[in-house]
Amino acid sequence: MKNENYLTVLGKFNLADKPIKVEKFGNGHINDTLKVTTDKGEAKYILQRINHAVFTNVELLQQNILTVTTHIRKKLEARGTQDIDRKMLIFIPAIDGRSYYFDGENYWRVCLMIPRSRSYEEVNEKLSFEAGKAFGDFQLMLADIPEGALGETIPNFHNMEFRLQQFRDAVKANLAERLANITDLIEAIEERAASMCIQEELYREGKLKKRTNHCDTKVNNILFDEHDGNALCVIDLDTVMPGFVLSDIGDFIRTGANTGAEDDTNLDNVHVDMDIFKAYTRGYMETAKYFLTPLEIKLLPYGGRLLTYMQTVRFLTDYINGDSYYKIHYPEHNLVRSKAQFKLLQSLEAHAEEMDEFMGIYL
């Protein structure tokens, strides 16, 4: 789209300042994100085109976000938090009062940029500790949202039983005829299948409850103060929905504590960084200790194995299906991703006892 087309969309929102320039911002994989500069020379707004092929119920998506941000503001106000507008996302309503604008083809939304903030793609121990605190506090503030207040923006997103069924259906159909060279990986997935469905079983037994989760706990979904490096605000709220806490700590371990890349072609690069795991966990438990049960605390390291296993399954499912879900950059990309995630899983398994012992200090 041209700049003037974006400005037309922005004209549908109740903006305090006049937008004059729109340019691509960030590196998100789902929505299109753009930075909006005003006539005062200030980059003040973020304009997003919502990917409604992924988020099929935009009304539910936006209602979830409104519920979450309203709840967070009340919590921050009750604490007497200073500079609240830098500690949470603030969305600008459309002229018609809705939290988004539909132009007949695309869904759009606008939020304020958080000044003097920055994000990171790579982690170190300090950033991991800060990220742990931020995601733990995010869950703490949302721990008392009433059951049923939020819907699932992507149904069964972190449901391992559902992901395994998708995988088995893909193997059975063999649409891209790619099974011949991956039988060992398929067998390894099936060998672990029963042990990776623990959270669903515990939930049915009434031993594990669903909480409000972020469900995409990568370090780049936190904004940090550009001066002192402290975490300011959790962002990217599209996947905030009911789920198990194992998902949130697990996805950070999978992404932040991986010494290699998610699609590393050199598997010798891929291991779990125990210093990152411990730093994140220490930060997370500073706040999460106030609402987690002993069982949840005990299972947190398992969450890292679970989410890594789940992503192995999802990448391999897409590879078997002919690469219909994830964007790929070359024909074997999803297989490379699958093997890299499985190597990380093996490293997490090798460190399971050490990780469990570390969690023992919180029990």
Side-chain angles (χ1 to χ4, degrees), residues 66-85 87-88 136-146 212 290-291:
L66 179 61
T67 299
V68 166
T69 53
T70 301
H71 200 82
I72 287 175
R73 175 169 283 279
K74 289 179 180 178
K75 293 291 184 177
L76 293 174
E77 289 174 346
R79 293 176 179 178
T81 302
Q82 300 297 308
D83 209 6
I84 286 180
D85 289 352
K87 306 294 176 62
M88 59 170 291
D137 194 41
F138 181 81
Q139 287 184 320
L140 174 63
M141 288 190 288
L142 300 176
D144 60 347
I145 281 187
T212 302
Y290 295 111
F291 67 88

Side-chain angles (χ1 to χ4, degrees), residues 78-143:
R79 293 176 179 178
T81 302
Q82 300 297 308
D83 209 6
I84 286 180
D85 289 352
R86 295 181 69 220
K87 306 294 176 62
M88 59 170 291
L89 291 179
I90 299 174
F91 288 85
I92 308 298
I95 291 173
D96 63 8
R98 294 185 298 178
S99 60
Y100 62 89
Y101 166 67
F102 181 57
D103 65 8
E105 182 177 352
N106 296 299
Y107 293 84
W108 304 87
R109 66 184 173 210
V110 176
C111 69
L112 292 176
M113 287 195 73
I114 295 180
R116 304 180 305 283
S117 67
R118 62 161 299 176
S119 62
Y120 295 90
E121 296 296 328
E122 305 292 333
V123 300
N124 55 33
E125 288 184 47
K126 174 178 169 51
L127 288 177
S128 297
F129 179 78
E130 286 294 319
K133 283 203 303 182
F135 282 124
D137 194 41
F138 181 81
Q139 287 184 320
L140 174 63
M141 288 190 288
L142 300 176

Side-chain angles (χ1 to χ4, degrees), residues 144-158:
D144 60 347
I145 281 187
E147 185 175 351
L150 300 177
E152 290 189 60
T153 55
I154 305 178
N156 295 306
F157 187 50
H158 281 170

Side-chain angles (χ1 to χ4, degrees), residues 38-58:
T38 70
D39 57 351
K40 297 178 181 178
E42 176 187 13
K44 185 170 182 178
Y45 303 109
I46 292 291
L47 171 67
Q48 283 191 314
R49 176 165 38 198
I50 301 168
N51 186 336
H52 61 277
V54 174
F55 301 106
T56 56
N57 188 340
V58 174

